Amino acid sequence: MARTQQLWEGHSASHDELIEGSVSVTATAAALPTQPISEVDVQADFDNLVYVLVGNSVNQRFQLAPGQSLTVRVTNLDRIYHKTASGTAVLNYLGR
């Protein structure tokens, strides 16, 4: 289940607002939630026991070890896809 929260409640989305959340990751590729954004840090949760693979809708080949992060410039969070090779994990994100 995805969780998204605007850190500055009561404001419309802008490039100065921070959006944060986390998603459960399985072996089936899925996109992050739909959210206009300009840049995002994605982090494999420290408590994960497996790698999180991230990429686009076709390939998710970039491996994130537990605690490892990656910064991506995208127009929408849903451009980033994630999965695990097996098992489940958590992927955290923080963007603007």
Side-chain angles (χ1 to χ4, degrees), residues 23-26 44-45 48-52 84 86-91:
V23 293
S24 180
V25 181
T26 67
D45 197 85
N48 289 345
L49 299 177
V50 296
Y51 286 89
V52 174
T84 62
S86 64
T88 60
V90 174
L91 184 66

Side-chain angles (χ1 to χ4, degrees), residues 1 11-12 31 35 39-40 44-45 50 52 56 62 69-71 75 77 81 86-87 95:
M1 175 182 287
H11 295 278
S12 61
Q35 175 69 50
E39 184 175 77
V40 63
D45 197 85
V50 296
V52 174
N56 60 27
F62 195 91
S69 64
L70 167 71
T71 301
T75 57
L77 279 178
Y81 282 71
S86 64

Side-chain angles (χ1 to χ4, degrees), residues 12-79:
S12 61
S14 75
H15 294 296
D16 293 330
E17 289 185 35
L18 294 177
I19 304 297
E20 67 90 25
S22 61
V23 293
S24 180
V25 181
T26 67
T28 302
L32 285 174
T34 299
Q35 175 69 50
I37 203 158
S38 60
E39 184 175 77
V40 63
D41 293 324
V42 293
Q43 177 199 48
D45 197 85
F46 279 94
D47 293 332
N48 289 345
L49 299 177
V50 296
Y51 286 89
V52 174
L53 306 170
V54 296
N56 60 27
S57 62
V58 177
N59 295 302
Q60 303 81 43
R61 295 184 181 153
F62 195 91
Q63 293 184 29
L64 294 176
Q68 190 174 19
S69 64
L70 167 71
T71 301
V72 183
R73 290 185 180 204
V74 290
T75 57
N76 201 302
L77 279 178
D78 64 9
R79 302 285 187 161

